[in-house]
Amino acid sequence: PPSHPREGKRSMGRLHCWSSLPLLLLAGLCVVPSIFVRAQRGHRSHDYQRGGHMYDPQDYDMDYDNEEYVMQAPHRYVMYETQYYEPPNPPAPKRKETRSRHTLDDATALGERATAFMRNGRYNEALAVYDKMLTIQLQLLGDHHPVVAQTIDQMGCAFLRLSQIASAQEALHKALEIYQRLGMEKKSADWALSTMHLGQSYEAEAENIPYPDSRIPEEVKRLTDLAMEHYQAALAVFNVEEREEIDADVANIMMCMGNVHNIRKEYVAALRRFKLALNDRIQLQGEDSEVCGWTKNNIANALRGMGKIDDAIKWYQEALVTVHRVFGPDHPEVAHVHWNLGLAYHDKGMREAQRRARSWGAWWPLQMLMGKGLRRRLAHEGSDFAKMDKHLRHCFEVFERWLGEDHPSTDRARQALIALKELMRD
C-alpha cells in the first residue's frame, strides 16, 4: 500500500493512462485512412475539373439533361465546350510466342499414313491427313520449300482421284510455282512429276467429254494438246535419248502419253507407248506388280478401240487377276478394270445379238410369231450380257461407296446399268 495518499492517486492515474492507449491507437487507424481517401478523391476531382465544374468519376449513372455533360461506363467521357477526356487504356498483355509442338518426324508419320490411304483408295481421308501434314511443314519450313511443294503435289493427285479437277490444278500450279521460285524448273525430277500430274488433269478433263464419232471436238483437241505438252516437258528432264538405265518415272510418262493417244482414238500409237511402258515396268518391278496390271488394262483399252474384242478381254482378265491380288475387289482403281471389262463384254454381246437378230430375221415364220420387243430381248440374253451386268454392278457399288454418288465414274456406271435394263426389257 502507498505510504502517502497522493502517491496512490498518482499511480492510479498512470494506470488509467496506459489502459486507454489501445483505444487511442484504434481511433488513429480509423481516422488516418479516411483522411487519405478524402485527399485522393480531391486529387481526382481536380483532374476532372473543367470551367469551375466538379465531376465525380465514380458516379457512372450520371445523366444530365444538359447535353454538354455525358458520362458512361465503362469508358468515361466528359465533354465541356467540345473538349474531350478519356482515361488511358491499360496496356494490352503481351502474347506469348506460340511455337509448334510438332516436329518434322510427325509430318513424316502423317505422310506415311496418307500414302496408305491413297493406296487403299480412301482419297478423302488421305486429303485430311495431307492437310495436317502441310500445316506442320508450313510452320517449320515456311512457304517455299521443296518438301512443302511435294506435299501440295500429293494433294493434287488426291483431288485428281476424286475428279475434283479445278482443285487439283490449283494445287499443282502452286507446287510448280514453288519449284520455279527455288530454281528447280525443268531441272529436277520433282518438277517433272508435278508437270506430269498437271498434264493428267488436262487428260482427265478431255476424257470426261464423250464424242461418238471419229471427229475430235475442239475442246478435246485443246485439252489433249495441253496434256501432251506437259508430258513432253516432263520427259525432257530425264534425257530419254541419253539415259542408260530404265526409269520408272519415264515409264509413267509413257503411260500418260498413251492415254492421250487413246482419247484421240489413235490406237496404234497408244499401243506402242503402252508396250514400251510395260517392258520397262516388268524389268523394274516384275510382271506380277500392280503397275504392270494397270499397264495391261490400258493395252486392253487400245485393243478394244481397234475392235479386237477377244484380245482385249484376255488382257483385261490378266490385269484384273493382278490388281485383285494386290488391292482386293473393293478398290476404286480395281473397279475401273471391272468397268472396262464390262464394256468389252457389251461390245462382244452386241455383235452376237446382231448376228442372232439377222439369223431370225431371215426365217420369216419366226419373225411373224415373235414381236420386235421379244426378238430384241432374246437377242440380248446371251452370256456376254450376263457377264457385263455382273461387272457393271460391282463397279457401281464400289464407286458409290468410295467415290460418292456425284463422281463421274459413279454416274457413268449408273447410266450404263439403266441402259442395260432398258435393252433387255420387252
Side-chain angles (χ1 to χ4, degrees):
S3 59
H4 195 275
R6 290 186 179 179
E7 185 178 357
K9 290 181 181 180
R10 283 196 298 268
S11 61
M12 290 298 292
R14 286 194 297 269
L15 181 62
H16 179 74
C17 180
W18 282 107
S19 63
S20 61
L21 183 59
L23 296 176
L24 294 174
L25 291 176
L26 182 61
L29 290 175
C30 294
V31 172
V32 171
S34 63
I35 295 173
F36 178 76
V37 170
R38 288 178 178 274
Q40 289 295 105
R41 290 186 62 183
H43 177 70
R44 285 185 300 200
S45 298
H46 178 73
D47 289 343
Y48 282 84
Q49 184 175 358
R50 294 293 185 272
H53 295 279
M54 302 289 293
Y55 304 101
D56 188 356
Q58 294 181 352
D59 189 2
Y60 289 93
D61 298 325
M62 292 177 64
D63 186 14
Y64 295 101
D65 295 332
N66 191 344
E67 295 181 357
E68 293 180 350
Y69 307 101
V70 179
M71 186 173 293
Q72 299 175 355
H75 297 286
R76 292 169 291 184
Y77 300 93
V78 179
M79 182 180 70
Y80 180 75
E81 295 180 354
T82 67
Q83 296 180 4
Y84 296 86
Y85 174 81
E86 181 179 5
N89 294 325
K94 294 183 179 180
R95 296 183 178 179
K96 295 182 180 180
E97 295 183 0
T98 57
R99 296 182 179 179
S100 177
R101 295 180 291 105
H102 302 284
T103 63
L104 288 179
D105 292 337
D106 298 329
T108 303
L110 288 173
E112 294 174 355
R113 186 180 176 189
T115 302
F117 281 139
M118 288 289 292
R119 183 176 176 82
N120 293 326
R122 299 162 65 177
Y123 306 123
N124 283 308
E125 296 173 71
L127 270 175
V129 178
Y130 277 137
D131 187 65
K132 295 179 181 178
M133 176 182 172
L134 182 62
T135 302
I136 297 173
Q137 291 174 345
L138 288 174
Q139 291 177 354
L140 298 176
L141 302 176
D143 294 343
H144 301 101
H145 194 279
V147 175
V148 173
Q150 290 173 7
T151 303
I152 297 175
D153 174 77
Q154 291 165 351
M155 295 179 73
C157 293
F159 282 124
L160 270 180
R161 296 293 185 272
L162 292 170
S163 196
Q164 299 178 17
I165 307 298
S167 299
Q169 290 176 352
E170 181 182 358
L172 294 169
H173 278 298
K174 179 63 178 176
L176 289 173
E177 180 185 349
I178 295 174
Y179 288 134
Q180 184 179 6
R181 285 174 176 261
L182 296 173
M184 302 169 64
E185 185 179 7
K186 298 182 180 180
K187 297 178 182 178
S188 70
D190 291 333
W191 179 89
L193 291 179
S194 294
T195 303
M196 182 191 74
H197 295 153
L198 185 58
Q200 286 179 320
S201 70
Y202 295 124
E203 173 194 323
E205 274 191 280
E207 192 176 12
N208 290 331
I209 303 175
Y211 60 100
D213 54 0
S214 58
R215 184 178 179 182
I216 303 176
E218 290 296 325
E219 184 64 13
V220 174
K221 188 176 184 304
R222 184 186 69 84
L223 291 170
T224 51
D225 286 343
L226 275 174
M228 191 63 78
E229 288 176 9
H230 283 78
Y231 295 152
Q232 290 171 348
L235 196 62
V237 174
F238 297 99
N239 295 323
V240 178
E241 297 179 357
E242 302 176 3
R243 70 189 179 107
E244 298 178 357
E245 297 180 357
I246 299 173
D247 194 288
D249 294 327
V250 173
N252 292 335
I253 297 173
M254 287 292 177
M255 280 278 294
C256 295
M257 288 182 167
N259 290 335
V260 171
H261 288 304
N262 244 0
I263 295 172
R264 293 176 173 175
K265 299 186 178 180
E266 301 167 353
Y267 300 117
V268 177
L271 194 60
R272 181 173 61 86
R273 299 276 189 183
F274 291 147
K275 288 189 175 181
L276 286 173
L278 181 62
N279 291 333
D280 289 353
R281 286 178 166 181
I282 288 175
Q283 295 182 49
L284 287 170
Q285 296 170 288
E287 192 171 0
D288 294 333
S289 62
E290 65 272 16
V291 291
C292 289
W294 306 132
T295 312
K296 291 177 181 179
N297 171 78
N298 289 12
I299 290 174
N301 287 339
L303 291 171
R304 175 172 162 259
M306 297 168 67
K308 300 179 179 181
I309 305 301
D310 292 330
D311 293 338
I313 289 176
K314 291 179 182 178
W315 281 94
Y316 282 135
Q317 288 174 340
E318 288 185 21
L320 197 58
V321 169
T322 302
V323 296
H324 256 274
R325 183 177 61 252
V326 177
F327 297 106
D330 296 331
H331 192 283
E333 300 301 323
V334 176
H336 279 106
V337 184
H338 280 281
W339 165 261
N340 293 330
L341 185 55
L343 294 183
Y345 279 122
H346 170 266
D347 294 345
K348 184 179 180 181
M350 286 296 293
R351 290 184 179 182
E352 294 295 324
Q354 291 173 1
R355 184 186 61 80
R356 286 194 298 267
R358 285 195 301 268
S359 64
W360 293 342
W363 193 31
W364 64 269
L366 186 62
Q367 186 176 4
M368 292 179 61
L369 292 174
M370 292 191 303
K372 183 177 179 181
L374 181 59
R375 290 200 308 271
R376 184 181 65 176
R377 183 177 65 81
L378 292 175
H380 292 88
E381 280 189 348
S383 60
D384 295 322
F385 284 100
K387 294 175 183 177
M388 171 192 173
D389 181 71
K390 175 183 175 182
H391 289 287
L392 291 186
R393 290 186 184 280
H394 176 78
C395 70
F396 172 71
E397 292 174 358
V398 175
F399 289 154
E400 189 177 33
R401 183 186 309 123
W402 294 110
L403 302 181
E405 297 180 355
D406 298 330
H407 195 277
S409 297
T410 308
D411 187 62
R412 280 196 293 264
R414 184 187 299 109
Q415 296 298 327
L417 287 173
I418 294 173
L420 180 62
K421 186 177 180 181
E422 292 291 331
L423 188 67
M424 300 180 66
R425 191 179 64 181
D426 279 335

